Amino acid sequence: MGKTQPVKNKPFSQIIGTGVGIPQKVLTNFDLEKMVDTSDEWIKSRTGIETRYIAEEGQFTSDLGTTAALNALHDAHVSAKDVDVIIFATITPDVGFPATAVFVQKNIGAVNAAAFDIQAACTGFLYGLELADSLIAAKKAKTVLLIGGETISRITDYSDRNTCVLFGDGAGAVVLRAAEDDHGILGVYTRSDGRLNNLLKLDGLGTKYPPTPEHYDQKMHFLRMEGREVFKHAVTCMGDAAEAIMERASLSTEEVDLLIPHQANIRIIEATAKRVKVPPEKVFINVNKYGNTSAASIPIAIDEARRQGRLKTGSVAVLVAFGGGFTWGAAAIRF
Ligand SMILES: CC(C)(COP(=O)(O)OP(=O)(O)OC[C@H]1O[C@@H](n2cnc3c(N)ncnc32)[C@H](O)[C@@H]1OP(=O)(O)O)[C@@H](O)C(=O)NCCC(=O)NCCS
């Protein structure tokens, strides 16, 4: 949480496995040029995005989450039957209810788990990390499967150039268990400001604006964003959060091996890195490939960074995210 979270020296939990579930279909900037009035040059220079992956028809958030979960369990050498809790962070659940997490539970055979979703937009994975770490700290769970997954393409208006170039689909998962030594979650910091709820939102799909023909015509089932305002707040809040977690975990810039920012926009990433004085070679970037995958962006990045050898045993990573709500947060992890 915010200011109330105590400084923690010895970690309670650690990540013991990671995995991803990425759709096969690629949507390039050149494809988007044929759909809306935009250009590869504009998208690349303003956002850093070149491609994004899009779920196939009939492929849902739980399907991507299931693949990510199975890969993470395999990586962790953990049986699905040993999972105590499944937390699924998403703003694009398969259905209104039940939770996307229970579909994953069924698919992987995690018969002994409690399963539920959380919703904190692009910060969802970090909110989930705070919960997972707390459950393990309180000895309420031994093994937690945390998934961030989205099919943002389903809530994207592909006639709105302001938003449709930015987002992509995917899922990432991590398996957490109690830390046995000084490797693990060094701290998590989460914040929100509901006064700014109007700047990045999806009005439909809840009870306030039921799916009437009128609301459908008003495209209430699509995501809307005040891009310039979101950009300003994202830069400030991600910088604040990264600074806060480094201070709490008593980490100097030199001690950070990898900064993993939420992958929304290359300019937001660069501004965040500059604020905490982390040099470009220590900043993880894959926004060019995936676009903004919301709650999936950080777990996908963690998995890729591990596979590229950029997160080894002992590496210290700072994760930082920002999203609708507004919500924002950061975490420090010694791998
Ligand atoms: C959306 C964003 C890339 C736009 O970049 P920007 O530099 O702020 O651009 P502006 O908003 O100043 O718009 C400049 C112009 O480009 C236009 N434009 C917007 N999208 C465009 C596109 N895909 N292609 C071409 N032109 C586009 C705008 O209509 C505007 O035109 P106008 O001046 O005639 O009105 C940027 O604001 C952004 O990244 N915001 C944060 C988005 C985000 O990360 N959201 C999720 C947070 S988790």
Side-chain angles (χ1 to χ4, degrees):
M1 301 290 151
K3 289 187 175 114
T4 53
Q5 186 189 353
V7 175
K8 192 168 44 157
N9 294 320
K10 188 185 172 304
F12 295 118
S13 71
Q14 61 182 168
I15 291 174
I16 59 166
T18 62
V20 298
I22 308 293
Q24 291 198 329
K25 193 168 141 193
V26 180
L27 183 68
T28 67
N29 291 350
F30 300 103
D31 295 328
L32 285 159
E33 281 182 357
K34 295 178 200 135
M35 296 158 73
V36 285
D37 181 13
T38 191
S39 67
D40 173 56
E41 198 280 326
W42 192 97
I43 302 170
K44 270 200 306 221
S45 63
R46 301 294 178 109
T47 72
I49 301 167
E50 293 166 37
T51 58
R52 68 290 285 144
Y53 291 86
I54 303 293
E56 300 284 350
E57 205 180 320
Q59 188 175 41
F60 302 104
T61 299
S62 69
D63 299 316
L64 302 176
T66 297
T67 305
L70 288 172
N71 286 333
L73 289 170
H74 179 76
D75 186 45
H77 304 290
V78 167
S79 157
K81 292 190 175 55
D82 290 332
V83 173
D84 300 311
V85 181
I86 302 172
I87 305 172
F88 202 127
T90 186
I91 54 167
T92 47
D94 291 15
V95 294
F97 81 90
T100 312
V102 302
F103 298 118
V104 173
Q105 173 179 31
K106 179 185 134 211
N107 293 344
I108 67 174
V111 288
N112 299 309
F116 59 95
D117 288 1
I118 58 166
Q119 205 260 64
C122 301
T123 320
F125 180 81
L126 293 182
Y127 273 63
L129 194 66
E130 176 126 276
L131 261 177
D133 187 49
S134 305
L135 286 168
I136 290 171
K139 300 195 181 342
K140 297 269 183 183
K142 277 190 181 150
T143 306
V144 180
L145 173 61
L146 170 62
I147 308 162
E150 306 281 9
T151 44
I152 303 280
S153 61
R154 301 272 153 71
I155 56 164
T156 297
D157 178 357
Y158 284 97
S159 66
D160 174 16
R161 69 176 183 175
N162 291 296
T163 54
C164 75
V165 301
L166 303 175
F167 297 97
D169 301 338
V174 302
V175 180
L176 292 119
R177 274 212 173 140
E180 287 162 2
D181 45 32
D182 62 347
H183 296 253
I185 313 298
L186 304 175
V188 189
Y189 169 89
T190 47
R191 296 288 304 273
S192 59
D193 187 346
R195 290 170 298 184
L196 301 169
N197 67 76
N198 226 24
L199 298 173
L200 177 53
K201 61 176 183 176
L202 193 166
D203 280 331
L205 309 185
T207 55
K208 192 170 179 182
Y209 303 99
T212 58
E214 188 195 3
H215 290 152
Y216 189 81
D217 288 346
Q218 290 166 1
K219 297 188 172 183
M220 287 227 173
H221 51 296
F222 289 136
L223 170 159
R224 294 280 169 239
M225 181 181 70
E226 298 293 333
R228 231 173 282 186
E229 281 303 305
V230 172
F231 188 96
K232 276 195 296 194
H233 286 283
V235 167
T236 307
C237 294
M238 283 175 64
D240 287 351
E243 261 182 18
I245 201 67
M246 285 168 65
E247 196 185 317
R248 262 178 206 188
S250 305
L251 289 174
S252 67
T253 298
E254 292 69 36
E255 286 169 308
V256 176
D257 295 302
L258 198 62
L259 179 69
I260 304 184
H262 167 51
Q263 306 287 313
N265 180 314
I266 189 76
R267 292 183 293 146
I268 298 174
I269 293 171
E270 284 168 357
T272 305
K274 200 169 163 197
R275 169 88 177 270
V276 287
K277 302 187 177 62
V278 172
E281 63 275 15
K282 286 186 173 185
V283 182
F284 189 82
I285 295 168
N286 64 7
V287 68
N288 53 312
K289 187 172 159 192
Y290 296 104
N292 181 350
T293 57
S294 184
S297 119
I298 289 195
I300 291 173
I302 294 174
D303 184 75
E304 276 204 345
R306 283 186 65 222
R307 279 166 220 296
Q308 290 171 12
R310 295 184 71 184
L311 283 177
K312 301 190 180 77
T313 303
S315 296
V316 172
V318 166
L319 324 176
V320 56
F322 175 87
F326 287 141
T327 56
W328 64 99
I333 305 179
R334 180 173 291 111
F335 278 83

